[in-house]
Amino acid sequence: MMSLELSRRIRAISPSPTLSIDTKTKALLAEGIDVVNLSVGEPDFNTPDQASLAAISAIITNFTKYTPVPGIMELRKGIVNKLRTENELAYTPEEIIVSSGAKHSLYNIFMAILNPGDEVLLPAPYWVSYPEQIRLCEGVPVVLATDESTGFKVTPEQLEQAITPKTRAFLLNSPSNPTGAVYTPEEIRAIAAVLEKHDIYVVSDEIYEQLTYGVEHYSIARFSENMKSKTLVVNGFSKTFAMTGWRVGYVAGPLPIIKAMTSFQSHTTANPASISQKAAVGALGTFDQEHVAEFQHRRDFVLGQLAELPGVICAKPEGAFYVFPNVRSWIGKTYTRANQSTIVVDSVDTLAELLLTDANISIVPGTGFGAPDNFRISYATSMEQLKKAMNRLSDFVSRLR
Ligand code: PMP
Ligand code: GLU
């Protein structure tokens, strides 16, 4: 019997629930079970041809060796151009580091800026990996609770009150995973006005920036030079270009931090895959605006269907591809299974289990997002699948007493 323990750091975290549920769902699908997968945040569109062709060309021309650690110059220049033209942000290629997905970018950031015990202000509901990454870097996530009443957004007053001498960073994720909340430019400016007065880094995860429905995305780094000098803008290719498997993300930020992240990356993963970098160069500038209209159509459908169900409270998401209904009123109810046995829905986790086993719908319970009254639906799937799922959900709810 082995008595050696795992590290304190690793024992403090749990596996990503979004990825665990997706893996479980994909295994059920592979067995031929007709589950509708509304769990993972993964666009159902194809990677743009320009990206795929660039990758094929990289392979056949032997562009398959180590590259500079922070990414090839061609890609970093392309990202600089994107930030200038789409976000009105001026960076040099040296202020960009490309990593193996935005998840990797975020981890590099926390490694570069956190000392043990440093606090990171984290608005909840939050994406599952933020608190775990902060803990892995021995930081302390300090949760700023939000709910439907403020559209899941922190207020400037709430932020001001939470700042202490231990605060090292504030995490802003707009559009948000899992709530779909988008801060308006005015709201961003009000938050920035608070942050300007303090020496705090801002980690601005803008990975869903292209997916907004009627609200303009505004990067907090645009607020002022001072704000920009403290902000790490995180973005990637997974969501915008349906390139989740290629693993390309990046950070734009102040040179000393980018250098520190590059140093760390040089000892851990080194460069992101050379082929994926070429694919990313191919993808830049190909974002298909029709995807926005399609996502908005799906969002409206899901919202409309949820509104028909008893006891659901649902804020209207203005971005990303998630809906985050509050089903507190379902907790404690009894569900009658097909064999007439009954089971109490004692939490959203039980609800998610039952939806999977008895209704063949895969969703993510809110627990891992710091929101135990909610669950997340990813509507990055076809209308046909969404219709099937919402019918099944309605049948499921009719069996709750
Ligand atoms: N940030 C947010 C808010 C996310 O939802 C995700 C999940 N895709 C990521 C970062 C990481 O994306 P990736 O590693 O695929 O670039
Ligand atoms: N970010 C996506 C999600 O929340 C992909 C899975 C993950 O990396 O968490 O579903």
Side-chain angles (χ1 to χ4, degrees), residues 41 100-106 127 130 173 175-177 205-208 234-239 243-245 247-250 322 376:
S100 305
K103 190 179 279 193
H104 183 208
S105 306
L106 285 157
W127 176 48
Y130 298 139
N173 174 216
S176 153
N177 176 7
D205 183 345
E206 305 181 11
I207 197 159
Y208 295 98
V234 180
N235 210 326
F237 291 74
S238 287
K239 314 294 171 174
M243 288 175 67
T244 46
R247 313 305 305 130
V248 191
Y250 59 90
Y322 306 109
R376 191 188 77 176

Side-chain angles (χ1 to χ4, degrees), residues 2-24:
M2 196 168 90
S3 61
L4 287 172
E5 280 189 344
L6 293 170
S7 71
R8 225 178 349 96
R9 281 186 305 281
I10 212 74
R11 279 185 286 139
I13 62 156
S14 39
S16 163
T18 44
L19 293 180
S20 313
I21 294 167
D22 184 52
T23 305
K24 196 167 164 182

Side-chain angles (χ1 to χ4, degrees), residues 211-213 288-300:
L211 305 176
T212 62
Y213 316 113
D288 187 347
Q289 284 297 337
E290 280 178 23
H291 293 177
V292 178
E294 178 58 28
F295 278 134
Q296 184 166 355
H297 175 60
R298 295 175 187 180
R299 176 203 66 172
D300 292 344

Side-chain angles (χ1 to χ4, degrees), residues 272-290:
S274 58
I275 299 156
S276 295
Q277 290 188 61
K278 283 287 187 182
V281 171
L284 279 170
T286 67
F287 177 66
D288 187 347
Q289 284 297 337
E290 280 178 23

Side-chain angles (χ1 to χ4, degrees), residues 97-343:
I97 174 172
V98 185
S99 302
S100 305
K103 190 179 279 193
H104 183 208
S105 306
L106 285 157
Y107 185 67
N108 285 345
I109 291 176
F110 296 131
M111 278 304 281
I113 66 172
L114 295 181
N115 284 313
D118 280 350
E119 295 181 353
V120 180
L121 300 180
L122 179 63
Y126 43 71
W127 176 48
V128 293
S129 292
Y130 298 139
E132 305 302 62
Q133 291 199 350
I134 293 165
R135 282 191 201 103
L136 279 171
C137 298
E138 303 192 40
V140 180
V142 173
V143 169
L144 304 185
T146 74
D147 59 22
E148 291 80 7
S149 66
T150 58
F152 291 116
K153 296 177 205 174
V154 286
T155 61
E157 298 73 34
Q158 189 182 11
L159 177 60
E160 181 81 68
Q161 277 169 15
I163 294 171
T164 73
K166 284 192 170 174
T167 309
R168 187 75 166 162
F170 170 63
L171 202 145
L172 181 63
N173 174 216
S174 176
S176 153
N177 176 7
T179 67
V182 184
Y183 288 72
T184 63
E186 293 69 39
E187 286 165 340
I188 294 277
R189 285 194 277 268
I191 293 280
V194 173
L195 293 165
E196 279 239 297
K197 296 183 280 175
H198 302 272
D199 275 336
I200 297 173
Y201 290 116
V202 180
V203 180
S204 181
D205 183 345
E206 305 181 11
I207 197 159
Y208 295 98
E209 61 158 346
Q210 298 281 7
L211 305 176
T212 62
Y213 316 113
V215 180
E216 183 200 343
H217 166 77
Y218 181 87
S219 174
I220 194 163
R222 251 174 88 178
F223 182 71
S224 65
E225 270 310 308
N226 177 17
M227 201 65 234
K228 183 166 167 258
S229 74
K230 303 193 280 195
T231 302
L232 295 145
V233 175
V234 180
N235 210 326
F237 291 74
S238 287
K239 314 294 171 174
T240 308
F241 300 109
M243 288 175 67
T244 46
W246 298 83
R247 313 305 305 130
V248 191
Y250 59 90
V251 180
L255 193 57
I257 301 181
I258 299 298
K259 276 191 175 163
M261 289 168 64
T262 305
S263 166
F264 176 62
Q265 184 162 298
S266 76
H267 289 296
T268 50
T269 58
N271 61 272
S274 58
I275 299 156
S276 295
Q277 290 188 61
K278 283 287 187 182
V281 171
L284 279 170
T286 67
F287 177 66
D288 187 347
Q289 284 297 337
E290 280 178 23
H291 293 177
V292 178
E294 178 58 28
F295 278 134
Q296 184 166 355
H297 175 60
R298 295 175 187 180
R299 176 203 66 172
D300 292 344
F301 170 74
V302 173
L303 283 178
Q305 295 290 303
L306 287 171
E308 303 283 312
L309 300 179
V312 178
I313 302 166
C314 195
K316 187 176 182 181
E318 281 161 331
F321 36 60
Y322 306 109
V323 175
F324 203 54
N326 180 316
V327 290
R328 190 185 316 143
S329 69
W330 296 358
I331 309 301
K333 292 204 169 179
T334 303
Y335 175 73
T336 306
R337 307 184 95 157
N339 65 5
Q340 299 307 311
S341 69
T342 58
I343 181 163

